[in-house]
């Protein structure tokens, strides 16, 4: 194809080689008698030298006449050249233009001109040609790889659960309605019920990384209407076991990025500061959390037992703790009904949150596995247990105690890399205003 | 939790140990003075012995009174016992009932009584307690793991693309409409456009394993309305390169299952016949394919150039070839408009299909990367290029030649394991009749 069978990546071109490299025209610097074209591919860049008086006119014209971001293949000899950006340069025998670009670009992939986020998202292909944007998505892929490996080390089986569902999982949150062969259905806002149904089988421990859909009208730098959820559910696990698995998944993700993504961290300017957590994440009880928040003096009013933690409170506590931490032992009344209370104290929930200092990352807990209590929970929530019969009936046939959690993958990427806006952590974000690309 | 911190899996209980095992009551055999309870967990089974005259009455009553499929924890000494199914048995000190089951089960997880597929799907938790059903989903998880590893070996980055979209990818196929904050939107039927937009960036090679949604009214053993698509797209790839990656992904999946899923293959009765492909998949041209189909004499009418391959034709050819095979070089008129024709012959498409002898698994090809030709293709298809501007405009800024393909993951599982119905390859299938669980 286009003579590219033997394509060499720019990073593999060594002095003495005769190669064909292919990629985008990153930059052309014309110094008069000599001109340099910088060609960019997925692995890096390479300098291509044009000596006008010594080379075929047509070759020079093709190489220097082509617009930035055009796609070309260059064949030629590689020589050492200390002044070239990567220490080598190619003297071309031929330049083949594979796709010519318009000269006017909606954004500048060389990154010399800043672009608004919305311009970047409208032109994601061009945006993803920037080293620092590409790096985010390479790291995202590595996080997924490492997370799955950690799940497998914890004996969990990868599953996929349906995204088209008859009923929503959580009462309060809004659902996107869909028309399913004339019936009303919804896009699932969480694999919660399905992962529980699966953990109650002989699989016992399961995980899923997949899309979730929330019709919330939030429009903030940390909410998406379509997000990626990293889910775990384990039979014969309590909330402590679930927190252990959670910590191991997050730690593995950080360690993998530290170990395997050095060039990407460098592209993001994070090589000096990036550090995988070395200590266990502290586990504060809700009671300790509100005491510490109150002690910071950052809130106008003191928090009391039963209060939700306000965002400023989370921020103050996050600054105080300075690393990932769990909040455990919540008041039952502010946790979802399907989270189990402690045995013998129905005011105290086994629910937990994992906080990155900047924001909530994970919520989880041991689940209510007792049929009667589950039905009562639906009723207290104002939900009709009949509508969830496909789920509740399985609790009559030996549903083991089980626990689990979910991380928002984009929040994990965002907090790990210090991104300002969650939309930078997803290729094609969906929010109230954005439905394409 | 419930004293399960030190839970031992049944498969790890060795003679001389004192253990706590936990799981489901698989079976109770009461022989009079002595009775055996078979306890099942994710790793296997173990025999628990009750000697009625020598043991505490309450313990015997608890152990033998509990209904099948109840969840219990048993603590006791492990002894060698050659007559027990796994060569060991536990003499219990204590039995703790964690979740009691109803005595009437909607299906029998021991598999002694057959159940209809619809009963199985309605009670998937119980169904998944059968060894052979659990095995399918453990193998499915292993296929995904191996596929991702093969993609990474091919330098592809894992991506996720949006499932809520403004416009459908392919003209003919039906879309599920959704209401998105008052706007009309659809559930995506393929990541096609988004993976192309991403491959056109510096990522170059990308893959995704995620859900796709097709509102087709098919109701067959090999169609789903929500399926899992394994997608690849690579810049600077032609259709031959794409077929190479495809073959490597499928081969890796087979090899991983052969290597790592021995117990699962045994549970499915496939240990003797399962074999990873050892030879390269044959690549037949469409012309050769119709000739060979015609030569089988299975069709009433001879096929001529331009005909779609009828299902009976595929079957006849599949039987003739007897292994996975590609069909290449299709007539352009029966391949999607976004597949590129061969340079210099606009009647011949670079599209390809990978056939399992039983059915089509993969379709792919080199894509049309030239802006003018792409716009013309939309128009010929009766689609308004304006509606796809978010996609087409990126083709003006240096879109490299690229190629890709998609496999239906459930078809891969189904064909690999010889399942009769594609619904057996997905936990919670969605079809015209089924929206829950």
């Amino acid at each position: 194809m286009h003579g590219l069978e033997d394509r060499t990546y720019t990073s593999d071109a060594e002095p003495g080689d005769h190669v064909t490299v292919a990629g985008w025209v990153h930059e052309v610097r014309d110094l008069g008698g000599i001109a340099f074209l910088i060609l960019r591919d997925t692995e890096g860049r390479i300098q291509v030298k044009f000596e006008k008086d010594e080379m075929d006119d047509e070759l020079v014209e093709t190489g220097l006449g082509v617009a930035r971001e055009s796609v070309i293949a260059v064949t030629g000899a590689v020589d050492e050249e200390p002044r070239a950006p990567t220490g080598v340069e190619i003297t071309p025998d031929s330049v083949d233009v594979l796709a010519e670009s318009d000269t006017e670009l909606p954004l500048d992939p060389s990154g010399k001109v800043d672009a608004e986020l919305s311009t970047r998202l409208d032109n994601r292909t061009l945006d993803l040609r920037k080293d620092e944007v590409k790096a985010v998505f390479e790291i995202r892929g590595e996080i997924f790889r490492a997370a799955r490996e950690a799940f497998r080390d914890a004996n969990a089986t990868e599953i996929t659960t349906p995204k088209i569902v008859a009923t929503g999982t959580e009462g309060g949150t809004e659902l996107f309605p869909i028309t399913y062969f004339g019936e009303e259905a919804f896009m699932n806002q969480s694999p919660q019920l399905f992962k529980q149904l699966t953990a109650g089988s002989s699989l016992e421990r399961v995980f899923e990384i997949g899309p979730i859909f929330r019709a919330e009208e939030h429009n903030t730098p940390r909410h998406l209407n379509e997000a990626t959820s990293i889910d775990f559910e384990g039979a014969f696990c309590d909330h402590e076991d679930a927190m252990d698995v959670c910590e191991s998944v997050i730690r593995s993700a950080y360690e993998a990025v530290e170990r395997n993504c050095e060039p990407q961290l460098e592209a993001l300017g994070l090589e000096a500061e990036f550090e995988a957590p070395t200590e266990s994440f502290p586990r504060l009880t809700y009671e300790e959390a509100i005491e510490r928040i109150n002690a910071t003096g950052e809130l106008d009013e003191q928090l009391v037992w039963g209060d939700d933690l306000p965002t400023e409170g989370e921020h103050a506590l996050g600054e105080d703790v300075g690393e990932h931490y769990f909040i455990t032992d919540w008041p039952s009344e502010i946790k979802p009904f399907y989270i189990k209370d402690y045995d013998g104290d129905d005011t105290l929930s086994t629910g937990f949150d994992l906080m990155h200092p900047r924001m909530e990352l994970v919520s989880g807990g041991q689940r209510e596995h007792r049929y009667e209590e589950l039905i009562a929970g639906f009723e207290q929530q104002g939900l009709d247990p009949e509508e969830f019969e496909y789920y509740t009936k399985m609790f009559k046939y030996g549903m083991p105690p089980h626990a689990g959690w979910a991380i928002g993958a984009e929040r994990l990427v965002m907090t790990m890399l210090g991104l300002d806006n969650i939309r930078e952590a997803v290729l094609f974000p969906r929010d109230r205003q954005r439905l394409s690309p």
Side-chain angles (χ1 to χ4, degrees), chain A:
Chain A
M1 161 232 176
H2 300 284
L4 293 184
E5 287 86 0
D6 300 318
R7 180 190 180 202
T8 300
Y9 284 124
T10 53
S11 55
D12 295 333
E14 301 281 348
D17 293 350
H18 192 265
V19 299
T20 297
V21 292
W24 291 266
V25 176
H26 186 67
E27 203 182 345
V28 174
R29 274 179 297 145
D30 196 329
L31 309 177
I34 194 165
F36 300 104
L37 180 158
I38 306 295
L39 179 125
R40 187 187 67 239
D41 70 5
T42 189
E43 293 291 329
R45 288 166 206 182
I46 200 160
Q47 175 167 304
V48 184
K49 178 176 67 180
F50 292 88
E51 289 172 298
K52 296 183 191 171
D53 293 341
E54 293 172 29
M55 285 163 80
D56 180 74
D57 284 352
E58 208 184 309
L59 180 66
V60 172
E61 222 165 275
T62 305
L64 302 180
V66 70
R68 280 172 56 211
E69 295 308 313
S70 297
V71 178
I72 63 174
V74 174
T75 301
V78 184
D79 292 301
E80 215 164 313
E81 173 47 68
R83 289 165 299 180
T86 59
V88 299
E89 70 180 7
I90 296 181
T91 306
D93 312 330
S94 72
V95 172
D96 189 7
V97 179
L98 304 181
E100 185 135 23
S101 174
D102 274 11
T103 47
E104 295 282 325
L105 299 172
L107 72 79
D108 175 15
S110 79
K112 286 181 189 155
V113 185
D114 271 352
E116 293 291 328
L117 183 56
S118 73
T119 306
R120 294 177 44 203
L121 296 175
D122 285 343
N123 299 282
R124 202 46 144 162
T125 305
L126 284 169
D127 186 47
L128 273 164
R129 293 184 192 162
K130 294 184 213 153
D131 293 342
E132 71 275 20
V133 179
K134 170 173 176 260
V136 168
F137 292 96
E138 288 174 331
I139 289 174
R140 183 181 156 118
E142 177 64 10
I143 290 172
F144 284 11
R145 190 202 60 74
R148 291 199 193 91
E149 194 174 272
F151 280 126
R152 291 203 182 85
D153 288 345
N155 289 323
T157 300
E158 179 169 4
I159 60 169
T160 57
T161 63
K163 307 310 163 200
I164 303 177
V165 296
T167 50
T169 316
E170 283 164 54
T173 331
E174 303 272 340
L175 296 162
F176 287 116
I178 92 161
T179 307
Y180 189 77
F181 296 120
E183 276 185 74
E184 183 188 58
F186 303 96
M187 301 187 68
N188 206 4
Q189 66 198 145
S190 152
Q192 181 67 28
L193 306 185
F194 299 97
K195 65 181 180 167
Q196 290 186 261
L197 288 178
T198 315
S201 79
S202 299
L203 290 174
E204 290 194 4
R205 290 176 170 217
V206 296
F207 74 93
E208 176 171 18
I209 301 183
I212 55 168
F213 309 92
R214 305 200 170 205
E216 290 165 342
E217 305 219 338
H218 286 129
N219 212 348
T220 82
R222 58 177 209 274
H223 287 91
L224 291 167
N225 295 105
E226 177 176 343
T228 309
S229 184
I230 303 177
D231 271 271
F232 171 76
E233 199 72 26
F236 304 104
C237 287
D238 67 3
H239 63 298
E240 300 274 351
D241 301 322
M243 282 189 278
D244 290 346
V245 175
C246 177
E247 186 164 338
S248 128
V249 166
I250 291 180
R251 182 182 301 284
S252 302
Y254 270 86
E255 286 171 355
V257 171
E258 189 173 48
R259 195 169 51 242
N260 303 327
C261 299
E262 217 177 301
Q264 287 80 6
L265 289 172
E266 216 164 291
L268 288 160
L270 295 174
E271 70 280 18
E273 65 195 80
F274 191 88
E275 220 178 336
T278 50
E279 306 284 323
S280 286
F281 301 160
R283 296 182 184 186
L284 312 186
T285 64
Y286 167 86
E287 199 169 352
E288 289 166 337
I290 59 174
E291 275 168 21
R292 283 178 71 165
I293 292 172
N294 286 340
T296 64
E298 293 286 329
L299 299 191
D300 296 336
E301 276 188 60
Q302 295 286 85
L303 295 172
V304 296
W305 175 267
D307 285 347
D308 268 316
L309 301 190
T311 308
E312 324 88 81
E314 285 179 8
H315 285 170
L317 182 56
E319 225 154 274
D320 193 26
V321 179
E323 56 176 324
H324 288 87
Y325 62 100
F326 288 102
I327 306 179
T328 67
D329 298 17
W330 291 74
S332 301
E333 65 199 51
I334 57 172
K335 277 288 166 190
F337 72 93
Y338 53 75
I339 303 281
K340 198 171 168 295
D341 298 327
Y342 275 91
D343 288 331
D345 184 353
D346 65 6
T347 67
L348 197 64
S349 164
T350 66
F352 63 83
D353 287 358
L354 177 72
M355 309 296 297
H356 177 274
R358 280 173 72 195
M359 69 188 73
E360 184 191 321
L361 273 189
V362 175
S363 64
Q366 186 175 339
R367 316 305 188 180
E368 183 52 76
H369 68 283
R370 298 162 302 180
Y371 180 73
E372 303 298 340
E373 283 79 356
L374 186 71
I375 297 291
F378 272 102
E379 283 164 353
Q380 277 161 29
Q381 195 71 13
L383 294 170
D384 179 3
E386 286 284 310
E387 280 188 24
F388 293 86
E389 202 227 341
Y390 66 86
Y391 161 75
T392 58
K393 72 174 175 183
M394 287 298 108
F395 286 67
K396 293 193 281 189
Y397 308 116
M399 179 61 72
H402 59 287
W405 48 262
I407 313 184
E410 286 79 15
R411 287 193 173 197
L412 179 57
V413 175
M414 180 188 183
T415 52
M416 184 185 283
L417 303 180
L419 306 176
D420 290 329
N421 194 313
I422 198 164
R423 290 162 186 78
E424 298 182 64
V426 58
L427 284 171
F428 302 101
R430 291 290 174 261
D431 61 29
R432 285 216 52 183
Q433 275 74 44
R434 183 171 288 277
L435 190 50
S436 73

